[in-house]
Structure formats: structure tokens, C-alpha cells
Amino acid sequence: MPRIRIGLIGLSTTSKVTNWAATAHLPYLQSPQGQKHYEIVALCNSSIASAQTSIKQYDLPTSIKTYDSAANLACDPNVDLVVNVTHVEKHYELLAPVLQAGKNVFTELPFAAAMSQIHELLQTAQEKNIKTVFGIQGQTSPVTKLLRDEITSGKIGKPLFIGAKGFTERKTGGNLVTVVFLHTINLLLATLGELSTIHTILGNQRPTVSLSDPAQNNKIVSTVQKDTPDQVLLQGRLASGALLSYHLRGGEPFPGEPGLTWSIYGEAGEIHITHASCMLDMAHEGVRIRLQVFGQEGVEDLVVGEDGMSGLPHPAQNVGRIYEAYAEGREGGWPDWGLGMRRHELIEEMWRRGDGERPFGEMVRRG
């Protein structure tokens, strides 16, 4: 079977904080397993010179074509799959010409900066019968598989209640809702099923934040006002009937406490998950998963299984599993734009409920 030829947008050499293309995509694409299925044939950066620098920086073949325009890359007949790893404000302008050219697309999250853009991009992809991939890793995580298997085995009976609490450092950047919440809630829903009802509060409790400069050893260089939340509270009922209580807070956890605490309480037992990071779908090294069966003594430590991606560094493992599922054509095996739309619709509903008389849905006393 011929390899899938990739045109990669956004392989930077200058990012001071994070370079998701280099840390999450390249390790798989440059691995022997990845090279069985894929070949990078084109790069698109803000300039051709920047793309050429990336080729040298990451020891890529000199035969790779370079572009400074997504529209020009989309016209390359040798590109089968366009992979977009750029900031969200650029997604719409980069993806629109790629879709018009009929190219299959893998785009990182958030999907786009506005719901109107998301609807338009998804509609175009559906009309042109384009294969899409959404860069969210919960569906392919071995943690998800382990938890699903344990629940399906009946050891804890029917899940009745799910409690999740997470913390994320404010220096993570981006929007707490459209990045961190999206990652964490997707992993939970991928494991336990979709929501049927929700109640939410989003709170901007720290409207003034400090900005640090990584180039100056994270020295505080200024303060800014923000209008996005640092507290996300969601309660609801899953389609299965189980109740959910979720709380995400910007800021570090209490000393000695984990960044994620997650309990799945069932009729016959409970599963308890803890990890240093709330974004467990990006890296699960060090995760602790314990099983208690009611009426039995002791607690069992569960071990996350390994596969051909386990030798890759985090966070490339779950991204690699997405690539593998796509290359093998496994139906439903990778997150697509339809899933991305559902997750953004949830976020949009949370914003809508929070954009009333008071910011972010806080109760208003009347009369």
C-alpha cells in the first residue's frame, strides 16, 4: 500500500514555549513505524526561508517542497493529507483553501476561532467527502481503553457517579475552556459516553494575570486583564444515567496533591485515577489507577497496557495512535471533525449560558 504523503503546516523552529508539531507529530512521523505509512513531502511556514530552516533543523529530506501559502500547498498534486499545527486564529484562513482543493485534513484543536467558521469548514468537508482528523487524543489513549474494559467487565457494576477535579498552571497559555477543558472532558466522555443534560458556571475569578517570559527564566514582565475563565464547573447527567460533577481550576494544586483526581463510582465498586497533569490524554506516564470492589478486601492497582506507540516520547504516543488508525482506515478509530463539532457545541452552550446579565453564568438575585 503506498505511503500517505503529508503536507505539514506549522513546523516552527522559533517557538519559545511549545512546538506541538515537533514534540507531538514528528516523533511518530520520523519513527520506523510512522515511515511505513507516511511520508512528509511538503512544508508550509510563514515564509519559504522559515520552511527551509525547519528542514535543516529537524533533519528532514531536502527533497521536501517548501511553501509560504496554504493555498499553494493545497495545489500540490503530491500531497494526500494536510496536517495543520498552528495557532487557532490562523485555522480558518489556512484550512479553507485546503478544503476547496479537496485535500484530506488533520487539524489540531481548537477547531477554529468562531462557531460560524467551524460550521462552514465542516460543511465544506462533508460536501466534498473529505476525510478529516481532529487533534484530540482521548479516543486513542490506552487509559481510555483500560477504563472502558474495566467498566465493561462489570467489576464495578453500572456507573452511578463520576467526579473529576483538575488543576492547570496559568502559564499553560491559551484559553482554559477551549484547550484544557476540551482535552479533559473529551477523555472523560470518550470513556463513559456523552452528556444528556448540563448545568455550568464559568468564573473569571482572577481577571488580572501576570505574563512571564521563558527567554528570561520565566521572569514576570507585565500584567494584563483577561476576559476568559479560570474556573470551570460542570454538573450533568450522562446518556447512561450516571451523574457527573466536574471542576477545573486555573492554578497549581495544593502541595502534595495531584493535578487530576477522577473517581468512577459504580453499583459494585469504584475506580480511582490520579495523575500529575489534568490533561491525561496528552501523557499518562505516572498515572495511578486503582480498583476497589465492594465487599472485597484490598485495592487493586491497574496497569495501563503497552503497544507499538509506547516507545515514543509523550505526547507523541497518542498522536501516533491517531495516525495509525487513520492509515489503517479503522472506522471510528480516530477523532474526526464531527466529534470536534460536538465538543465545540458543548463549549458554545457553556458560553451562551454564561453570557447573560453577569459574566459566565453566575446567578443573579431578582426582586
Side-chain angles (χ1 to χ4, degrees), residues 160-162 194-200 233-239 241-246 353:
L160 302 176
F161 173 78
I162 298 92
E194 298 296 316
L195 284 159
S196 60
T197 62
I198 62 166
H199 301 276
T200 65
L233 294 92
L234 181 150
Q235 291 187 316
R237 187 184 298 273
L238 301 180
L243 301 180
L244 169 67
S245 179
Y246 171 104
R353 295 187 185 196

Side-chain angles (χ1 to χ4, degrees), residues 30 37 41-42 48 57 77 92 96 98-99 101 124 129 135 141 150 160 179 199 223 254 274 326 343 355 358 361:
Q30 291 184 309
H37 299 301
V41 299
I48 289 177
Q57 173 82 15
Y92 177 78
V98 170
L99 294 175
T124 302
N129 198 29
S141 170
E150 291 297 318
L160 302 176
V179 178
H199 301 276
T223 59
F254 192 83
T274 55
Y326 179 86
R343 296 295 178 256
D355 284 340
R358 292 281 298 276

Side-chain angles (χ1 to χ4, degrees), residues 1 14 23 29 39 41 51 65 82 107 115 123 130 144 204 216 220 224 283 303 311 321 339 347:
M1 188 173 179
T14 59
T23 59
L29 294 173
E39 176 187 9
V41 299
K65 293 183 179 179
V82 173
T107 192
M115 283 300 294
Q123 182 177 350
I130 289 171
T144 302
N204 185 15
Q216 300 182 55
I220 303 299
V224 296
V303 178
R321 292 180 179 103
L339 176 68
I347 291 171

Side-chain angles (χ1 to χ4, degrees), residues 181 198-203 205 229-236 245-249 350 360:
F181 170 77
I198 62 166
H199 301 276
T200 65
I201 297 175
L202 307 182
Q205 304 299 93
D230 47 56
Q231 300 276 349
V232 180
L233 294 92
L234 181 150
Q235 291 187 316
S245 179
Y246 171 104
H247 178 206
L248 176 65
R249 188 191 84 190
M350 292 169 68
F360 306 123

Side-chain angles (χ1 to χ4, degrees), residues 141-153:
S141 170
V143 172
T144 302
K145 182 180 185 304
L146 172 63
L147 294 175
R148 281 176 176 168
D149 289 347
E150 291 297 318
I151 293 168
T152 302
S153 74

